[in-house]
Every structure is written in structure tokens, then in C-alpha cells.
Amino acid sequence: MTSPGSIVEYIDGGRFLCALVLQDSSGRLRLFNQNGKEIVLPASRVLTVSKNRHQVEGSREDRMALLKGMAEQRAALTGTIPLEDIWELASAEEQNAFPPDFLAGLFFGGSLNDDQTAAFLRAVFEDRLFFKYKNDVVSVHSQEQVEQLRLQRQREQEKEDLLKAGAANLAAIMEGKQITAEEWPERDKILGWLADFALFGSEATNCDLELMRQLLKNAGLHRPSDPYQVLVQAGYWQPDENIPLLQAGQPVDFAPELLAYAAAIAEPSAEELLADPKRKDFRELDIFTIDGSSTRDYDDALHIEPQEDGSLLVGIHVSDVSYFITPKDPLFAESLERATSLYFPENQVPMMPKELSQGVFSLIKDRVRPAVSFLVKMSPDGDILSSRIVLSVIQVKRQLTYSEADRMVEEDKALRLLNRLQLQLRQQRAERGALLLSLPDVTIYLEEGNKVMVSLTPSDTPARSIVSECMILANGIAAEYLAAQEAPGLFRSQPPPKKRLISGVHNSLADIACQRRFLARGELTANPKPHSGLGLNCYTTVTSPIRRVLDTAVQLQIANLISGKGILFTMDDCRKFAGIIQDKLSRANKVRQQRHRYWILRWLEDQIGKSLPALVVNSGPQRINALLLDCLFDIDLPPHPSLQAEPGDEVTVRIAKVDALENTLRVEW
């Protein structure tokens, strides 16, 4: 029971308040506080009760003056209390819990007044380092507790300082100011956290999420794209940073030890290579490559020889990576993790270090190279008469680009013969049900100032078709060889399409675009299965061992077999590889697709407000799916209010809104 006239103290909103007890009704106190308000408060919230009694009657002003004066007196006393000294004295006692009066008396001595006891408790609440007050008892913290609390306070202070400096510097960077690490020691750490937050948002694991949110809030950075813009302004990211690549965790740089390992791989001489009696010497053949003008990692080459009996001997020569590496090498493990080389308009991420992919492993003109050669004897009508796979030594005589080869196709005998054969092979595959989906290649390139340009290149020019059909030929032969040897491998297959719309060699863009919707998903298995899309009974890929780990693994298996060493990879090995490769390829392909979309959207940003031609691919009651013909980009939009658009129709659409960074596109009729 708290007597009327007592002065009590309680905490409200983090502030200590003095109040005069007017009435105690079953543990609920009616009070008049120092702010001149009458309130009802549970007795459990009271911290101190005065020993002295005061007049309940009196004017409002007199009571307020009494309480405010008392509050000021107690606040002044609180600042004089040396809690650490009192703690040291209390720590020497056997017990660790005391009444407040006892501990206050250690400083004030003798007889205590109400203000001194209240001031001590205020000090305990304001600085919780040494004591804890609960249930009218003050507990003394141990030495360990005090050290932990001190460390916690230090961290909190550091966090507060970090927030203050970080917010100010982020805001300054956003305004275009250059802040150096000397000016802001935490710069790289904070920008690293910000990058993690920009990439993964609430799923970021390498930063303090609450801290980052508070930093951005304090810096006035509220838009979703602000973290990206700050990182670009700071020079931490490039203006067109490859966000999907960073998000995917796809390896980019090679570890120093792997680069050292690669640097130690020497270029072999012809004599060293020909020391293997199974390796054939094809250095005198007119072998040439056909690739894009920017290609530096040449992994396949061709030659053709007319035979005395009127047949043609076609040679598809593939860089023999198996000569240099084994499945136990770190290079193979790294390639398995990367799965494929990635090519972007701004750069490339090779599967193998450039010292190898563009050096020792690459079929560079006039350089002696080990190869796996597919020798195919063909009739003048394009029928395969026989084939064999051999290890070889080659020396490329010509390095042609696609455009050069296209210009030479009629005058150059080898190209003319190969072009005739590719037409025959293509026709044969079409007759076996192959789907020839010859959409143009979308080429994205950057001009000065990162201006995005888009062009369409036919994918079925003579030169491109020669390379394509020869690679399909070699890959099919590789699959048939493994199947004949009853050796496990990595076989690509594809069930028939869910619906067939096209047939034969010549199909319109509209038909091809519509057919894509009904393609069955491809598979990767350790045993051979038909590939409906290519019109082959079995298929693998082995012609790009520098760029695709699937090809590297298949080449290792075949090279071991033709060397007479037997099966290298078991069925279990191949099944394991298939699982890993599918997983890693899925990751890499997602990056490739998202990055392609980004650059197309960047190009479309310059087309806002313009009308572009589009091809209707599918028409439904809610949405129309179409293909922008200038960049072969899939779009969707609501049905036209008055125009009935059907698949195959060419229409005009307007680019209404594009934001590549936000990955948004709105197209209107």
C-alpha cells in the first residue's frame, strides 16, 4: 500500500518522472506528475517511493514546482555517482544482489535521503554496464558480464559511427563526388556489402541486412536501382555491370595456382607428338578454320580431298585437349565447374585460361597442334561410305572468317566441294525428320560510348552451313563410335516435337518461330538415344573441347579408346558427369539468356516511342505472343481492341516503356 503524499518515480517513454501519490486503490495509483497531469499507474511500474510524505492538497502550480525541483535535484545527483567505483566495492562482497539503499550508501554514506536513492537508481538505469535492477533488488554484474557488455557497447558505437559516415559518403558518391579509401577507411567494405545487397536483396548473406537498409535510408537512397547507381558512381561496378553473372556465382577469374598450372603446359613439337605411333601426320594437308572475325579460340578445322575413285575424303580436325589434360587435372575440374565458355558483347568468360584456349590448345595458323581427326569418306551424292577417328598432328594453313569463306565459296575448290556436301547432308537430315530452325543470328555489339547496336546475320550462309553440317557429321560419327564400342558416353537426344509445323529445308521465319513453341526438351544421358531435331539415331558433341566441358569429356573417352587403352569413364562416371553438366549448363545458360535480354532492352531504350515490326507467334484470349523482327526478341501484349491477329501475321507495335536495369518492357499497339 503506497500512502497518499508519497513521491514516486517511474519511467515513461524513456524519461524518469516524479509524481505525487493521490490515492492507492488496490495496487493502482492515482498520481499527479511533474508535467501537471493526473494519471492512473499500476504500482508495479513504480521504481522508488519516498520515505517522506508531502501535502496532497495545494495548488497545481505548487505541486508541479515541488516535483520538478525534485526531478532536477535527482538528475543533478545522478551525474555525480561513480557507478564503476561502487561496482568494484560491491564486487568484493560475498553476495551479488543488494537493496538500492545499501549500494547508494557506498557512495553517499550515512543516512540517505530520498533523492540520493532515486539518483542512484537513475544512474543504474542510464548505465546498465555494472548493475541490473529487478524486483526492488540491484544485481551486481560479474567481471565477465561487464567485459561482454563493454564489448557490446563498443560494437554498437562502431556501428553508429559506421552508419553516420557510411550514409554521408554514400549520399556524396550518389551526387558524383569521388570518395577515396583514405577519406573513408570503410569504403571497400561498405561497397562490398552494398554490392551483395544490390545482387541478392533480402537473401544477401555477406552483409548485415538491417545495417544496409538503415544506411540506404539515412543516405536518402530509396529507389530499387540506387544501390546499383552508387556502385557505378564509385567505380566499384561498370556502367553495364553483368548482374546475372555475379548473381549466378559463375566463376570468372582463375585462381593463381590454376594459372600457374596452365602456364606450365608447353607447346609440343611435331617430333614429340609423332613419338606416338598411333598419331598420324597430317601437316601437309590444306587444313583451314572458318570462324567469326573475333574468334581466337579455334577448336575445329576442315579439309577435303577428292579420291581417285570419285569419292571425297572430308577431314574434321578437332583440337586434342586430351593430349594435355587428364580427368584428374585441376583444369578438368575447373572446366566441369564452368561447363562452357560465355561470350558477351562486352567481354567473354572462357572455360579454360586464355593462355590455353587462345594459345596452346587453339588451332592457330602455321602452329603444330595435336588433333583428333574425323576422316569421312563420302560419295559424290553425300552418302557416308566409311569413317574413322584417328589421333593426328595438323598445321592449319588458312584462318578464314565466315564472310571471307562466303566470298570464296565458288572460286575455292575445297569450299565449293564442302558447300555441295553440306547441302546434301542438310537435305538428308531433313528427309529423316530433322527440324531445320535457321533463324538469323542476333549480333549485339557496342560502339563508342557503349552505344548498343543490333544486327541480324543469316545462320544458313554457305560458310556457316559448311561448319554446322561438318560439326553435326563429326558429332554423329563420335556418338556412333561410342555406341559401337558399347562404351558409355554423354549423349544428347531430343524427343519428337509436341506438334510438327515445318518440314524440309526451306521454311519461312514465321513457321520457324511458331515451331519453336512445340519443341521437346533435350536430354543428356550416358547411353545413346535418337535426336529427333537433328534427324540422327544418336548424337553427342565433341567438336568444341576448348569451349564446352561435355566435348572435353567425350573427347577424353574417345581418345582413350582409339589409343587402345580401353574405356576411361564408366557408366556411373558418365551419369555423374551428365548431372553435373546439366546443372552447370543450366546456370550458364540462364546467365547468357538474361544478359542477352539486358542488351536487347538497352537497345530498345533508344527505340522508345518508335514503331517496330513484329511477327505474331501465338494468339490467345488474354495475351498475344510476338517476335520483334529487328532483334528477334519475344514480347507479349494484350489483344488488339479491333485487329484480329493470327500466328504468322506481321504487325506493327510501339515501344512504350523500357528499363534494362529494372528488366521491364511495355509494348503497345
Side-chain angles (χ1 to χ4, degrees), residues 579-597:
I580 294 172
I581 291 170
Q582 283 180 312
D583 180 56
K584 303 303 181 183
L585 273 181
S586 175
R587 178 183 68 182
N589 288 334
K590 184 178 179 182
V591 172
R592 185 185 288 119
Q593 290 161 7
Q594 290 180 338
R595 194 56 174 168
H596 178 82
R597 177 180 174 86

Side-chain angles (χ1 to χ4, degrees), residues 420-431:
R420 189 185 76 194
L421 281 177
Q422 70 87 5
L423 291 170
Q424 294 165 336
L425 289 169
R426 189 176 172 86
Q427 181 64 43
Q428 290 170 7
R429 290 198 303 110
E431 291 170 358

